[in-house]
Amino acid sequence: MTPAVSIRDLYKTYDSGFQALKGVNLDIFPGEIFALLGPNGAGKSTLIGAICGLVRPSSGSIAIDGQPLPQHYREARVKIGLVPQDLVSQGFESVWSAVRFSRGLFGKAPDAALLERLLRELSLWDKREASTLELSGGMRRRVMIAKALAHEPTILFLDEPSAGVDIELRMDMWAMVRRLRDRGVTIVLTTHYLEEAEQMADRIGVISDGQLRLVENKAAMIRRLGRRRVHISLTYPLAIIPTAFSSQHASLDENGRELIIEIGGEQSNIEHILNHLSAAKIRFTDLRTSESSLEDIFINILRSTQ
Ligand SMILES: Nc1ncnc2c1ncn2[C@@H]1O[C@H](COP(=O)(O)OP(=O)(O)O)[C@@H](O)[C@H]1O
Ligand SMILES: [Mg+2]
């Protein structure tokens, strides 16, 4: 399958001498939701900017649907919808004409029915006659999404879609992204919110300091790097970790009241643990399991690769 976006050995050094991208290799496939996850300053917007033709790479190559940039920039740009991180200042024009104009910019024939559906999906239909200037920040962001989608792009870039956005818009946006994906649109979003990556993405790329640290299917990432723990509330406190568990990753809380045992991803190990507890005559009042969140995983990745 030809990747929707293919990036090879991409470097970007800004005029200041700052190296924002240090050899990025990445393929994004048609129809997937790809989340580029990383802290502020990691290089996410620079990478998106390079793909969308706003940032000139220092070296390396980018291809859209197999066609290399910058030679095929015009064809690529028509396929791409971009919702930038910052709210760009907008004119006096109405929401309707802003969106219609955006579509025309890419040489697409007018399609009032399509634009009406788009505005309705983004709860903007009632505001179609309003000037974009009189809208709230959240509404303006909806307009930016509508403008990015007006020419029916097949690849949508959302740069920090949740930054400064209220929960209602966030939910609407997530629903919209899923609908677009169902229609076959490839979606690339950047975020430093783990929740967003966890909720939305099929695959996650972790970026820090201009380098992609890891690219993996979300479920596989959680399976591989996730940890399950069994927390055992002891009837009588223990001073040391019982020998039966010394070969496992086990720990005691500071009062010796809770024994915590790592069980990797294997549920069946719990039976083992219960047998050991019973053999060692260790009594307990309660038992629960916990799982590491994507957040723990993320912190571990950044720690281990820096
Ligand atoms: N035009 C620029 N000139 C110099 N440095 C820049 C410029 N744009 C971004 N940077 C720097 O490059 C790094 C990556 O920025 P950016 O791609 O915006 O990160 P992110 O989107 O992950 O927060 C940051 O340290 C930022 O300060
Ligand atoms: Mg950014």
Side-chain angles (χ1 to χ4, degrees):
M1 194 194 303
T2 307
V5 181
S6 184
I7 298 166
R8 289 291 172 274
D9 298 322
L10 196 72
Y11 285 81
K12 173 62 186 178
T13 305
Y14 282 109
D15 291 342
S16 63
F18 187 84
Q19 226 186 345
L21 297 176
K22 303 172 183 171
V24 172
N25 287 286
L26 176 64
D27 285 329
I28 294 164
F29 295 100
E32 72 172 333
I33 301 180
F34 187 90
L36 196 57
L37 178 65
N40 281 324
K44 302 182 296 295
S45 294
T46 302
L47 186 57
I48 296 255
I51 301 167
C52 297
L54 305 174
V55 169
R56 194 164 45 85
S58 304
S59 65
S61 64
I62 301 171
I64 304 294
D65 287 339
Q67 297 186 300
L69 299 180
Q71 299 91 308
H72 293 273
Y73 176 71
R74 289 175 68 88
E75 295 107 293
R77 196 60 192 87
V78 175
K79 293 176 184 168
I80 288 174
L82 168 65
V83 183
Q85 182 170 354
D86 300 310
L87 284 174
V88 287
S89 60
Q90 300 178 354
F92 299 98
E93 57 189 351
S94 69
V95 169
W96 179 259
S97 54
V99 173
R100 200 185 46 189
F101 179 74
S102 263
R103 182 172 170 86
L105 259 179
F106 293 95
K108 294 278 174 110
D111 187 336
L114 181 130
L115 297 187
E116 176 175 342
R117 186 181 69 178
L118 189 57
L119 293 186
R120 285 189 187 281
E121 281 178 345
L122 286 161
S123 311
L124 279 172
W125 183 243
D126 293 343
K127 301 275 184 205
R128 65 189 179 281
E129 301 300 341
S131 152
T132 47
L133 276 181
E134 45 183 276
L135 298 178
S136 66
M139 281 292 170
R140 280 194 214 177
R141 195 168 283 267
R142 286 174 197 263
V143 174
M144 285 171 65
I145 298 169
K147 283 172 72 176
L149 289 170
H151 66 288
E152 299 166 274
T154 55
I155 312 170
L156 178 67
F157 291 89
L158 295 160
D159 197 0
E160 304 270 351
S162 288
V165 153
D166 61 38
I167 188 75
E168 194 188 345
L169 177 50
R170 199 176 301 180
M171 293 299 158
D172 281 1
M173 230 156 32
W174 288 353
M176 179 103 200
V177 162
R178 291 199 180 96
R179 267 199 307 271
L180 289 167
R181 196 255 312 261
D182 292 344
R183 289 178 206 153
V185 176
T186 307
I187 289 143
V188 182
L189 62 96
T190 75
T191 184
H192 58 267
Y193 293 112
L194 290 140
E195 189 200 356
E196 193 157 45
E198 200 161 13
Q199 285 269 343
M200 296 298 308
D202 300 315
R203 276 200 310 153
I204 296 176
V206 176
I207 186 170
S208 72
D209 195 21
Q211 288 175 286
L212 263 182
R213 307 293 176 174
L214 181 77
V215 177
E216 200 165 42
N217 177 283
K218 177 183 65 184
M221 186 184 282
I222 293 174
R223 250 197 326 274
R224 191 168 67 81
L225 299 171
R227 291 270 173 276
R228 281 172 60 81
R229 295 188 184 89
V230 183
H231 303 249
I232 300 148
S233 303
L234 303 165
T235 309
Y236 305 106
L238 288 173
I240 53 162
I241 294 164
T243 46
F245 301 112
S246 53
S247 64
Q248 279 162 295
H249 287 283
S251 58
L252 276 170
D253 73 349
E254 62 267 32
N255 312 318
R257 285 257 171 212
E258 190 177 72
L259 180 64
I260 302 155
I261 301 162
E262 301 239 346
I263 53 170
E266 302 282 327
Q267 186 90 35
S268 61
N269 284 355
I270 292 178
E271 198 179 336
H272 250 85
I273 292 169
L274 291 177
N275 288 340
H276 281 316
L277 287 171
S278 151
K281 299 201 164 40
I282 297 169
R283 296 177 58 195
F284 58 94
T285 55
D286 196 11
L287 180 148
R288 69 183 172 89
T289 63
S290 68
E291 256 168 77
S292 50
S293 65
L294 194 54
E295 180 147 18
D296 302 328
I297 296 170
F298 181 57
I299 290 165
N300 286 335
I301 293 167
L302 290 185
R303 222 178 256 150
S304 66
T305 55
Q306 257 165 6

